[in-house]
Amino acid sequence: MARRRREKEHGIFRELLGWIVYILIIIGLSYLIITYVGQRTMVSGQSMEPTLSNGDNLIVDKISYRFRDPQRYDIIVFPYKYEEDTYYIKRIIGLPGETVQVIGGYVYINGELMESDIYGAEPMESGQLADQPITLGADEYFVLGDNRNHSSDSRDPSVGVLKRSDLLGRAWVRIYPFDKIGFIRHE
């Protein structure tokens, strides 16, 4: 009888230990995924309207830029340098080595009107820093919000030109609101 009791206690202990190991593995994998693969973020404000709306919840792909360069029109996430735990979501417009300028409310790349830029909701009222040509360095990017007259982006001195190391990742999937769930279109 005592032997059976010890075997039963040993079985319960083994089962409990199995569950603890299982939970620790799940926590470890979750940490690795959040740290190196993806991260949830929420859109705050109207700077990316109509593409993304205030309150949209996104998963950010943090791994693809380890294997490929950011592309024009990618929607990226980067930390705001003056406030901790605050992230901006913008669209890449200017690539390394290019010269970007805003003339008459429109983007010019290397002196030519960027006609493929279909994302700006309306002509920009102000080019701010981009009123003058901005030549991007080897690892620099110029970003704009889609709702350009209501966006703090590379035209604004508080944001400015981004370095590749500033890019947290690429907006990948919208997970909320539920009626808009799906992959984020970048082109």
Side-chain angles (χ1 to χ4, degrees), residues 1-2 9 17 21 24-25 29 41 53 65 71 81 97 104 110 120 123 125 134 141 147 162 166:
M1 191 134 213
E9 287 175 359
L17 187 61
V21 168
L24 289 174
I25 289 171
L29 287 173
T41 192
S53 301
Y65 289 155
Q71 304 294 309
K81 56 187 163 191
N110 298 329
E125 294 169 0
I134 298 173
Y141 296 87
N147 190 0
L162 301 178
D166 296 331

Side-chain angles (χ1 to χ4, degrees), residues 40-57:
R40 187 184 75 72
T41 192
M42 186 172 75
V43 176
S44 179
Q46 60 186 357
S47 72
M48 285 300 292
E49 291 279 353
T51 308
L52 300 172
S53 301
N54 187 44
D56 284 359
N57 281 257

Side-chain angles (χ1 to χ4, degrees), residues 48-118:
M48 285 300 292
E49 291 279 353
T51 308
L52 300 172
S53 301
N54 187 44
D56 284 359
N57 281 257
L58 312 174
I59 298 293
V60 177
D61 164 19
K62 295 169 66 174
I63 200 166
S64 65
Y65 289 155
R66 295 173 195 250
F67 302 105
R68 72 170 186 86
D69 290 331
Q71 304 294 309
R72 189 179 327 276
Y73 304 127
D74 281 358
I75 298 173
I76 55 105
V77 177
F78 60 95
Y80 181 55
K81 56 187 163 191
Y82 298 112
E83 195 172 329
E84 226 175 287
D85 295 325
T86 301
Y87 298 92
Y88 276 13
I89 301 170
K90 305 293 175 200
R91 189 179 298 277
I92 293 176
I93 299 297
L95 300 171
E98 295 180 336
T99 299
V100 180
Q101 186 174 10
V102 174
I103 301 172
Y106 296 97
V107 176
Y108 285 75
I109 303 285
N110 298 329
E112 293 188 24
L113 176 64
M114 192 175 162
E115 293 185 43
S116 62
D117 182 17
I118 59 169

